Amino acid sequence: LVSDNPKQSSQIPVFIRILDINDHAPEFAKYYETFVCENAKAGQLIQTVSAVDKDEPPRGHKFFFELVPEFAVHPNFSIVDNKGN
């Protein structure tokens, strides 16, 4: 082991330059409160959601949404990606 023999170890300073800082976590673009009527039809659009990230670059972030695994097995709802965040 290197730690057993000091002659086989060395130290050197390393400088790291951070190029991007994630100051803000992604969040929904607005507050959503969604209701589903009991007579909703199969395939009916219920809600469109979008997300934003206040970090730079302003339009460089891509988001996707998916159902949690336990609901994806027997889904009563589906998610369609409209490629618009």
Side-chain angles (χ1 to χ4, degrees), residues 10-66:
S10 64
Q11 294 181 353
I12 185 169
V14 176
F15 298 93
I16 299 172
R17 183 171 58 146
I18 305 296
L19 300 176
D20 185 20
I21 298 172
N22 190 10
D23 295 328
H24 307 282
E27 59 189 38
F28 285 116
K30 65 179 189 174
Y31 173 77
Y32 295 101
E33 188 171 13
T34 304
F35 300 94
V36 178
C37 296
E38 62 185 44
N39 61 351
K41 308 251 186 294
Q44 181 176 337
L45 175 64
I46 303 297
Q47 178 72 59
T48 301
V49 297
S50 62
V52 296
D53 190 329
K54 295 177 183 173
D55 289 325
E56 296 291 329
R59 294 198 171 130
H61 303 285
K62 301 292 181 203
F63 300 101
F64 67 92
F65 304 91
E66 62 185 0

Side-chain angles (χ1 to χ4, degrees), residues 1-10:
L1 290 174
V2 172
S3 62
D4 292 339
N5 187 348
K7 293 180 182 180
Q8 293 182 350
S9 66
S10 64

Side-chain angles (χ1 to χ4, degrees), residues 68-80:
V68 292
E70 55 267 22
F71 290 114
V73 176
H74 298 290
N76 289 321
F77 297 95
S78 61
I79 294 178
V80 177

